[in-house]
Amino acid sequence: MARQVYISGRMMPETEAKISIFDSAIMLADTVTESTRTFRHKPFKLEQHIERLYQSLKLTRIDPKMTPEQMLRTTLDVFEANLDNYAEHEDCWIVHNISRGLSVAGADPTVQVGAATVMIFTQFMDLKPWARFYTDGCHGVTPVSRMVPSQSLDPRIKNRSRLAYTLAEMEAKQVDPAAQSVILDLDGHVAENKGGNIFCISKGVLKTPSTVNCLAGVSRATALELAQKLGIPTQETVLQPYDLATADEMFFTSTPYCIMPSTKFNNLPVGDGKVGPITKRLLEAWSELVGMDIVGQAQSQIN
């Protein structure tokens, strides 16, 4: 069955999906975005993702001409139209990309021609690239490139301007092809990964950067909520590479993999070099929350 996508009021097969080459998404990367995943074919925290989407839309002054309630209903329609494409053991992304619409090249890039372009689609949740990290842990590496400073673009505005993240990730992978970037801000403080947030655990305390220099991730919030339920102390604070190198445990959070353990940082072992007990407890709690084995699902794709 051909996947159905939604573009600005119309549902259509993905093979027919087109936007103008003059759309601001292409001309200026002037687009806000959200990515939600499903667990057992149930969207996870979709309402929170749409709430954050509308916060980004407000700050970027893009009017989708849809209320959050209409966006939610349309999103569920797209998801339900594609449900037969995913087997019982498979899950999917639900992606929103919303641009300002047609853009006129010239002296004033803020001129908007017509309505915003609203794009919604689903995509198979391919977990193979992360599957082995649940047991082995990944290698966190600090690239040369730094975060775009929040004085220029607030990281809480989730947008499709990904070039800075892509360059940073390429630099990290020159050190280790399987590395995951730990991007620092201009002051040398730990900020975020190309698509996720960063945590460390020291002496039983779970620590993560505040949202001054990183995205207010939905998965980040989930990890903090689970820690609270488990009685694990948490701190949103300033972290430096020293703190990660000397931590007992470290992990990343993001929509697809939820929690990705890290057992090495800049070629130094994190703790004893193994996935730590608190990281495992949080992963187990997340699996319990969503009613499925998160690790098992990912590893089944490579077995």
Side-chain angles (χ1 to χ4, degrees), residues 16 54 59 71 86 132 164 168 174 200 214 216 219 223 232 239 251 260 275 283 288:
E16 298 176 16
Y54 274 78
L59 268 291
M71 185 70 72
Y86 305 104
R132 68 182 178 88
Q174 289 175 352
C200 70
C214 69
S219 299
I232 300 167
L239 292 176
F251 62 81
M260 177 170 60
V275 178
L283 258 171
E288 185 177 341

Side-chain angles (χ1 to χ4, degrees), residues 15-28:
T15 53
E16 298 176 16
K18 297 179 178 67
I19 64 170
S20 170
I21 62 170
F22 303 111
D23 197 280
S24 69
I26 296 166
M27 298 286 284
L28 301 169

Side-chain angles (χ1 to χ4, degrees), residues 31 49 102 175 200 211 233 246:
T31 313
H49 279 281
L102 293 180
V175 176
C200 70
T211 55
T246 60

Side-chain angles (χ1 to χ4, degrees), residues 6-294:
Y6 174 93
I7 301 183
S8 299
R10 290 184 57 210
M11 194 93 77
M12 65 190 75
E14 64 176 321
T15 53
E16 298 176 16
K18 297 179 178 67
I19 64 170
S20 170
I21 62 170
F22 303 111
D23 197 280
S24 69
I26 296 166
M27 298 286 284
L28 301 169
D30 181 11
T31 313
V32 299
T33 187
E34 278 296 326
S35 294
T36 308
R37 70 156 289 175
T38 63
F39 293 101
R40 298 176 63 189
H41 294 185
K42 295 179 181 177
F44 181 65
K45 294 193 172 182
L46 179 58
E47 291 84 356
Q48 287 94 320
H49 279 281
I50 288 178
E51 179 183 4
R52 186 173 63 179
L53 176 67
Y54 274 78
Q55 291 168 346
S56 297
L57 289 167
K58 179 179 181 179
L59 268 291
T60 54
R61 297 170 173 82
I62 296 174
D63 183 0
K65 301 298 183 184
M66 298 170 71
T67 66
E69 294 73 23
Q70 290 170 326
M71 185 70 72
L72 177 61
R73 183 63 259 167
T74 302
T75 303
L76 291 172
D77 288 344
V78 174
F79 169 63
E80 289 162 7
N82 288 287
L83 200 50
D84 288 344
N85 288 313
Y86 305 104
E88 185 178 354
H89 63 283
E90 294 176 342
D91 278 296
C92 69
W93 299 86
I94 302 171
V95 180
H96 296 82
N97 289 325
I98 302 178
S99 79
R100 201 174 304 279
L102 293 180
S103 175
V104 177
D108 186 354
T110 67
V111 173
Q112 183 172 339
V113 181
T117 305
V118 179
M119 298 163 270
I120 309 173
F121 63 90
T122 69
Q123 197 167 31
F124 171 67
M125 180 63 61
D126 183 1
L127 298 166
K128 291 190 293 292
W130 300 290
R132 68 182 178 88
F133 296 141
Y134 288 111
T135 51
D136 299 345
C138 70
H139 182 191
V141 171
T142 52
V144 174
S145 294
R146 299 296 178 96
M147 282 285 294
V148 174
S150 56
Q151 295 93 333
S152 300
L153 179 61
D154 195 305
R156 289 172 292 183
I157 300 173
K158 189 160 185 179
N159 64 87
R160 273 296 180 207
S161 304
R162 300 275 104 182
L163 183 57
Y165 292 96
T166 301
L167 293 176
E169 190 71 5
M170 293 174 93
E171 292 165 5
K173 283 175 166 45
Q174 289 175 352
V175 176
D176 179 346
Q180 306 298 304
S181 57
V182 176
I183 309 173
L184 309 180
D185 67 16
L186 296 183
D187 295 314
H189 301 146
V190 174
E192 61 184 38
N193 169 255
K194 66 173 177 61
N197 294 102
I198 300 164
F199 287 77
C200 70
I201 299 155
S202 296
K203 298 181 179 178
V205 179
L206 181 65
K207 301 178 182 181
T208 193
S210 73
T211 55
V212 169
N213 68 355
C214 69
L215 180 72
V218 173
S219 299
R220 173 186 180 274
T222 302
L224 291 170
E225 291 163 7
L226 291 172
Q228 185 177 20
K229 289 179 181 178
L230 294 172
I232 300 167
T234 64
Q235 287 182 4
E236 297 179 56
T237 185
V238 173
L239 292 176
Q240 295 180 318
Y242 176 95
D243 298 300
L244 301 186
T246 60
D248 301 313
E249 303 178 40
M250 175 180 158
F251 62 81
F252 298 81
T253 58
S254 189
T255 292
Y257 52 74
C258 306
I259 289 177
M260 177 170 60
S262 180
T263 51
K264 190 162 62 170
F265 176 65
N266 286 340
N267 274 316
L268 293 170
V270 176
D272 62 3
K274 299 178 182 177
V275 178
I278 292 179
T279 302
K280 289 179 180 177
R281 284 179 65 197
L282 288 167
L283 258 171
E284 289 167 0
W286 205 315
S287 290
E288 185 177 341
L289 174 68
V290 297
M292 59 165 277
D293 181 356
I294 292 170

